[in-house]
Amino acid sequence: MSGARADCGRLVVPGTTEPRTDPSTVSAPITFEHFKLLPASRQLLVDGRQVAIGARAFDVLSALIERRERLVTKAELLDLVWPDVVVEENNLQVQISALRKLLGPQAIATIPGRGYQFTAVPDGAASDKAPPASPRPADTRGAALTNLPTEMPPLYGRVEELEALRALVETNRLVTVVGAGGIGKTALAEALADRLRGSLEDGAWFVELAPVTDAALVVTTVANVLQVTLGAHDPVGKLASALEAKRMILVLDNCEHLLDVVAELATALHRQAPNVRVLATSQEPLKVGGESVYRLGSLTLPTKAGIESARQAGAIALFEARARASQPQFALDERNVEAVVDICRRLDGIALAIEFAAARVPLLGVDGLRERLDERFRVLTGGSRLALRRHQTLRAALEWSHGLLTGEEQVVFRRLGAFVGTFGLESAQRVAAAAGIDEWAVIDRLGALVDKSLVVAEPGEPPRYRLLETSRAFALEMLERAGETDAVMRRHAEALLVVFEQSRSEEFVLPLQARLDCYQRDLDNVRAALDWTGATPDAVELHIALAGAVAWIWTEAALRPEGVRRTELALARIGLGTPPHLEAMLSRSWPALAFPKTGVQEMERGARAVAIHRASGDRRGLFAALCVLALTQTYRGLLDQAQHALDEADALIAADWPPAARVPLLKGRFMLLQRQGRSEAGVPFAEEILRIAIGMADHRLEAKALIWLEQGAAARGRFRESVADGVALDRRMREDRALARGLDCFVRPNLCLSLMQLGQVDEALEFARRAFPVVVQGGRTIDLLDPYALLAFKRGLVDDAARILGRAEEVYSADSFRREVVEQKLRDNLLSDLRIALPAISLARLMEEGKALADDEALRLALRDAGS
């Protein structure tokens, strides 16, 4: 039968295709983790509930569980599950895939090119009646050719890594698994050695080097494990010679503190013992000839919300298993999954930290654990008494890694703790270079920290760097202990100022989307720098400068409410001693960020920026400030003043300015003509912006121009044209989420309004519901009040329409806010319709009720189901 199976390209069916009643001899129920297999009734229970499982999948599972002590080849499984039938191998793969979806990816391991092995450990596995495992290879004395335990613990979330490492070891005789402390290097190396021990004549051997503190004892330790006698001279050479004819895998675990001697031994074995495969684990590579490095990353985290996605992630699977071991009643469910995911994410998916955290669940509960993670070094203690001392607390693990650094490496490491998220090389130099460490030395020390797995290098051009969150917390402790916190945080803020001053200089040179993609990577660092400078009395000037430099990004990144809050704090710190150019930068940024608020403060700030730039002779600054002021004046209805400001700005343009520098002026002209009721005359200005955007491949600016053209069509009553343009824009936004950020809050409300004008109320409701969350996030709820009031009215929710309009009247009654022409016309028409539909006393009462509502509460009234 197995001979016939060699031709798997044909489907040969000599007999029935019905599955056997049971290919396994297992009859008693088997429980493993939160599953129970009932062979007699052919059922699989998950947490006590029966789940659907196909007949073939059940047979495959039974066969693997019965033979769990060894690898089961593909041919053997095919013979067991499809007796007397020749089928294609992918039938087996389909069943394995189905089982992994039910049991989790870690339950069944794939041995590339050979077969599968069931890796979950059934309860009471040591005493069940399954047949004993096949004997291990033995030498002439009958001893097993390994010092690995007979049963290995489950390996969670490392299926792909295990297969990749195996492929690397099979083609390279010296491989080093490199990764941060506690990330799971040892577990992965042990699992691979366990998989390979049956296929190597001289077995698999594991040497733990962590307890070895004297480099002179390394070779002796390895020789003792392998039972090799060394002479007094040249122990490395003697050991290599003794292994010359051996075919085995040798795991050298935890080498980072003994790199020189381990490198010497590995080199000798590589040269003299061609059939010995050396697998080392270390926080940094050995850096010897013939070495292949496998960098082990963190355990995976869920990519989607929900239980199923969570259980597929290695970090969550490990947390669940360890929490269940500490508290058998623990179960991952809808109530705790969000908290568990957040815990694992804040622990960077580091296996050791997750194990510590899960062990605290019986004491603190999941929510209590989550709340206390900021005190992680106190909370995450209590590792196994049998574990290495440095693996018994999270702090001890980091102290071990930190202790292996040179003095300058320790200094650079703690200073890099100032960074939140990723950072660039130049910023690292500015922050870490001080007190005898120059910028070139920082490059060398940063490279060493990457090699030693304390800093992660993110691929890219140029690359970015980051500290894992737990490493960063430790670095900040060391920074405080060294008394450097204030000095380093100041340099951090200064470095961010340099970055964002560069972003300002690239305005109208780089495409807007490329500029946004580049600089929003530093947003977390900006937040930290603004927080520190904002709370530091002698950093006022730095705070104002940084707030002005970053102001442009808040709206583009759809973070306007945060930007308003942070910029208002900086504006409040402007005083008589503030350098004028810093005041001008921040002041001219404010009106655009505050819009649709266009009150006295916005007018004053815009005028102040103009005055400062005019006095200083800053031509480009004055041009920008005039364009911003003109927009504010336009929205305030000061149309003659806006015209004057735009004309003055036009006269400032120089021939050597890039074409995109004219965009603020073109936008100002377009908006002014809209307010003057001459939208047709404004079309050429929006079209010119569109041509500029296409010419420089600026897709974000192109989308803005299309939005303005769509708004212009609506203002002229061309609602079919407006809807067609809006639908096309919405499609682009859905296809490119980066492009949508900060722009979709305009497209969908506009579509909603135009669709209502065409009588397409159901379609308008769909876009209104899609618009609501993005507009709320963008802090532009005022834009929706009038359109949603009209939507409620057209849906027959007349009382709610009155309430929403009442809220709109309350908001627009403030001097800071003015309706645009289209919104004013909509409001007037709707109010007339409401006066016809409702008695005056009822309309007044309902609008009064609406005034008391929050914006989002009022908007939800238009979206509710009729009759609810």
Side-chain angles (χ1 to χ4, degrees), residues 147-432:
N147 64 336
L148 293 169
T150 303
E151 278 193 22
M152 299 294 294
L155 184 67
Y156 292 94
R158 297 294 193 189
V159 173
E160 293 181 3
E161 290 91 337
L162 187 59
E163 293 186 7
L165 183 60
R166 177 171 184 147
L168 195 61
V169 168
E170 287 178 343
T171 55
N172 299 273
R173 292 190 289 116
L174 171 57
V175 175
T176 305
V177 179
V178 174
I183 209 163
K185 302 182 295 293
T186 298
L188 184 65
E190 282 182 328
L192 180 61
D194 181 54
R195 295 292 171 83
L196 294 179
R197 60 179 166 182
S199 61
L200 298 170
E201 289 140 5
D202 297 295
W205 301 89
F206 189 91
V207 182
E208 173 56 75
L209 294 178
V212 180
T213 57
D214 185 349
L217 298 178
V218 169
V219 179
T220 302
T221 301
V222 176
N224 287 340
V225 170
L226 297 176
Q227 300 178 20
V228 172
T229 302
L230 300 177
H233 302 290
D234 188 20
V236 172
K238 290 286 195 326
L239 180 59
S241 297
L243 301 181
E244 188 172 1
K246 300 293 184 181
R247 186 169 177 267
M248 62 192 297
I249 182 169
L250 175 63
V251 178
L252 303 176
D253 190 45
N254 290 299
C255 303
E256 55 271 355
H257 60 306
L258 302 162
L259 288 174
D260 290 343
V261 66
V262 172
E264 181 187 0
L265 174 59
T267 300
L269 292 173
H270 193 265
R271 183 174 57 248
Q272 294 180 243
N275 291 313
V276 172
R277 301 191 177 278
V278 176
L279 176 60
T281 75
S282 174
Q283 292 184 20
E284 64 178 303
L286 302 179
K287 296 183 179 179
V288 297
E291 178 189 28
S292 293
V293 175
Y294 183 83
R295 283 207 173 267
L296 183 62
S298 301
L299 288 165
T300 57
L301 293 161
T303 55
K304 299 177 183 177
I307 293 284
E308 293 308 316
S309 176
R311 283 209 170 109
Q312 300 300 314
I316 311 304
L318 177 62
F319 185 97
E320 183 177 21
R322 294 295 182 261
R324 192 186 294 273
S326 299
Q327 186 178 56
Q329 301 85 0
F330 177 81
L332 191 69
D333 55 34
E334 295 292 348
R335 293 169 299 175
N336 62 25
V337 64
E338 181 182 346
V340 170
V341 170
D342 186 49
I343 289 167
C344 293
R345 180 171 287 113
R346 290 171 63 187
L347 294 175
D348 299 298
I350 297 176
L352 182 65
I354 290 170
E355 292 194 3
F356 286 150
R360 286 300 195 185
V361 168
L363 177 64
L364 301 174
V366 171
D367 291 334
L369 173 62
R370 184 188 194 182
E371 291 170 3
R372 289 169 176 81
L373 275 190
D374 287 341
E375 305 171 48
R376 64 188 67 195
F377 296 124
R378 295 182 179 182
V379 173
L380 303 185
T381 61
S384 168
R385 290 187 177 89
L386 301 179
L388 297 172
R389 183 177 295 277
R390 70 170 188 262
H391 283 177
Q392 290 180 359
T393 71
L394 191 59
R395 181 185 296 281
L398 283 161
E399 286 174 343
W400 163 267
S401 300
H402 186 259
L404 298 175
L405 303 179
T406 67
E408 286 196 352
E409 288 167 357
Q410 290 181 348
V411 172
V412 172
F413 169 70
R414 70 179 180 242
R415 291 174 181 173
L416 293 180
F419 288 104
V420 183
T422 67
F423 53 90
L425 176 59
E426 291 183 2
S427 293
Q429 290 175 294
R430 290 189 177 95
V431 170

Side-chain angles (χ1 to χ4, degrees), residues 687-709:
E687 289 179 337
E688 187 173 352
I689 295 174
L690 182 60
R691 284 193 294 272
I692 292 172
I694 293 173
M696 63 187 299
D698 191 335
H699 302 304
R700 191 171 186 84
L701 180 58
E702 180 184 349
K704 287 186 174 185
L706 291 171
I707 290 171
W708 295 328
L709 286 168

Side-chain angles (χ1 to χ4, degrees), residues 415-600:
R415 291 174 181 173
L416 293 180
F419 288 104
V420 183
T422 67
F423 53 90
L425 176 59
E426 291 183 2
S427 293
Q429 290 175 294
R430 290 189 177 95
V431 170
I437 301 178
D438 64 25
E439 293 187 350
W440 289 104
V442 171
I443 295 177
D444 291 338
R445 305 303 172 260
L446 177 60
L449 292 170
V450 171
D451 283 344
K452 296 177 180 181
S453 306
L454 280 168
V455 174
V456 178
E458 301 279 8
E461 187 55 47
R464 303 272 294 179
Y465 305 89
R466 67 181 173 90
L467 274 68
L468 297 177
E469 190 57 34
T470 299
S471 299
R472 179 175 180 265
F474 185 78
L476 289 175
E477 278 197 8
M478 297 299 102
L479 194 66
E480 183 69 27
R481 189 177 299 175
E484 290 188 323
T485 299
D486 284 345
V488 169
M489 293 307 296
R490 182 177 295 276
R491 292 202 299 274
H492 175 259
E494 291 168 345
L496 268 295
L497 179 58
V498 172
V499 169
F500 277 88
E501 284 179 337
Q502 174 70 19
S503 82
R504 285 286 193 178
S505 71
E506 292 170 348
E507 188 177 16
F508 309 128
V509 177
L510 282 182
L512 184 52
Q513 189 64 52
R515 188 163 162 250
L516 178 61
D517 291 343
C518 175
Y519 289 102
Q520 67 181 351
R521 297 178 302 181
D522 272 308
L523 269 179
D524 285 336
N525 281 306
V526 163
R527 291 178 172 114
L530 287 172
D531 287 344
W532 184 83
T533 55
T536 305
D538 63 350
V540 173
E541 186 174 312
L542 181 55
H543 183 225
I544 293 169
L546 184 57
V550 306
W552 69 270
I553 204 170
W554 300 116
T555 301
E556 297 297 341
L559 297 168
R560 180 181 164 276
E562 180 183 359
V564 167
R565 175 175 58 81
R566 291 187 178 278
T567 305
E568 281 184 319
L569 290 173
L571 287 169
R573 302 184 82 185
I574 291 176
L576 294 176
T578 302
H581 71 284
L582 297 183
E583 180 183 355
M585 173 69 78
L586 188 60
S587 292
R588 84 172 193 231
S589 300
W590 174 246
L593 183 59
F595 182 80
K597 183 182 178 186
T598 55
V600 173

